[in-house]
Amino acid sequence: MQEPFISVVIPTYNSEHFITKTLETVFAQTYNNYEVIVSDDGSTDNTVDVVKSLFLKYPIRNKDLLINDHEGPGAARNRGVKAASGDWVAFLDSDDLWYREKLYRVACYICENDVDLVCHSVLCEVKKKQVLVKRYTIFNNEINPFISLYRDNSLTTSAVTVKKDLLFKAGLFDTGLPSAQDYDLWLKLGLLPNFKIEFIKEPLSVHVSRHVSISADIEQRFQCLLKIDRKYYETLKALSRFPRMERARFRGRIYSFVAFALIRKGFYCKGIIFLFYSVSKWPFRYEWFKVIVSYIRYFLSLKKGLPERD
C-alpha cells in the first residue's frame, strides 16, 4: 500500500519554553511522508518567533505556521485540521515529545490494518518521574466504541492519528468547551458508523504533565465534563440497556477525577468534598480503592522519610 501522508497538527499558546524540544522530536522522525502545521492560539510571549526560527533550521520539511486570535486549543486545532493536506492527522500538544519511530510505526500500522484511528501507549512524566500508561487496556473493542469511550477515555491527544475526513464528519473540536474538547471529539467519532479504533501497545511518546496549580482550572474541566454528560445522555439512552447506571458511573468518575486532582495540588478540603460526591454517585469503582491505598502508601513513605526527633 502507498505510504500515508500524515499532517502533524500542533496547537501552541505561550509555549516558548518547551516548543523547541517538541518540534525537534517531530523533525527527527525516521518517517518522511508528513507535514508539520503549528497553529498558534494568540500567544503573548515569543512562541511564534521560536517556531519561525526552528522552521528556518529545517527548510526541507513541509510546514506551515498559522497565527490566530486567542480562542482556545479547540479552535487552534480546528484551523490546523482545515489547513492539513494529508489524509491522516496526527495531533501533538506543544509540550509532549515523540519517539523517533513514532510516525513510522503508525504509518506501518495504517498500511497493514483496516483502521480509522490509531492510538498508542504513552509514558506520562510528572516531576521527572515516568509512568507507562497502556491505553489499549482501557478500550473495550467488544462493545460500541462510544460506550467504551464514555466509560473511560482510552485516547490521549498526542498519541492519536485519525483519518481527516472523519474529523470533519464528526464536526471537529467543540470550541464552546474551554476544556475536554478532545474527549468530546473522541465521543463524536465513536458515534460514526463502523468506526474502528486500534492500538499500538508500545509507548511512542512522552506526555509531560504541566497541570495547573489553581483549583479554578481543575473545576473548569469538571464543568466541561458535566456539559459532556448532559450533551450525550439522550444518545446514551439510545445505545445502552442501562443508561442511568452508565451515567451514574460516568459522574462518579468525573467527581473522583476532580477530587484527586485537587488533593494532589494541596486543596484537601475541596478534594475530600468531591471525593464524598464521587462515592455517592458511584460507590462500586474498585480502582477508586486502589488509588486510596496508593495515597496512603505515599503519605506513609513521607512519614518514614522524616528525621527522628531527639
Side-chain angles (χ1 to χ4, degrees), residues 84-278:
S85 302
D87 294 326
W88 291 82
V89 173
F91 294 107
L92 176 60
D93 288 343
S94 61
D95 52 357
D96 290 346
L97 310 171
W98 278 354
Y99 289 13
R100 294 182 70 248
E101 68 274 18
K102 143 85 180 197
L103 290 180
Y104 173 76
R105 292 290 306 279
V106 169
C108 288
Y109 199 92
I110 289 170
C111 289
E112 296 168 1
N113 297 274
D114 180 18
V115 62
D116 298 313
L117 182 152
V118 180
C119 186
H120 53 75
S121 298
V122 300
L123 287 175
C124 288
E125 183 177 295
V126 182
K127 295 181 179 179
K128 297 184 179 180
K129 293 183 178 180
Q130 294 186 341
V131 178
L132 176 62
V133 179
K134 301 176 181 179
R135 288 293 171 184
Y136 64 92
T137 64
I138 303 172
F139 186 74
N140 184 354
N141 58 12
E142 300 295 326
I143 62 176
N144 181 287
F146 170 84
I147 295 296
S148 179
L149 291 166
Y150 184 86
R151 288 178 179 176
D152 205 345
N153 181 16
S154 53
L155 304 178
T156 300
T157 308
S158 294
V160 165
T161 303
V162 59
K163 288 180 178 176
K164 183 178 69 175
D165 64 321
L166 297 182
L167 291 173
F168 285 103
K169 286 182 180 179
L172 299 178
F173 293 91
D174 185 348
T175 58
L177 291 171
S179 181
Q181 317 95 339
D182 49 354
Y183 182 45
D184 175 71
L185 179 57
W186 312 150
L187 291 172
K188 291 190 291 186
L189 286 168
L191 290 172
L192 297 178
N194 304 312
F195 188 73
K196 297 180 181 179
I197 301 174
E198 296 288 346
F199 291 84
I200 298 172
K201 293 184 178 181
E202 294 78 15
L204 296 174
S205 66
V206 177
H207 170 66
V208 182
S209 179
R210 301 181 191 276
H211 292 307
V212 293
S213 59
I214 58 174
S215 63
D217 290 307
I218 297 171
E219 292 178 42
Q220 181 187 69
R221 183 171 180 84
F222 169 70
Q223 292 299 327
C224 289
L225 289 170
L226 287 182
K227 288 182 181 179
I228 289 172
D229 166 54
R230 294 190 293 268
K231 178 179 179 179
Y232 291 103
Y233 186 55
E234 292 302 317
T235 301
L236 189 66
K237 288 194 290 186
L239 294 176
S240 173
R241 294 175 59 189
F242 308 103
R244 291 185 179 180
M245 183 180 296
E246 294 282 4
R247 192 181 201 186
R249 175 162 46 186
F250 180 89
R251 288 182 170 181
R253 180 165 63 86
I254 62 177
Y255 272 94
S256 65
F257 155 75
V258 175
F260 291 119
L262 289 170
I263 290 171
R264 282 194 297 269
K265 294 300 179 183
F267 302 102
Y268 301 112
C269 291
K270 282 187 177 181
I272 291 170
I273 291 171
F274 273 94
L275 206 55
F276 277 111
Y277 272 111
S278 171

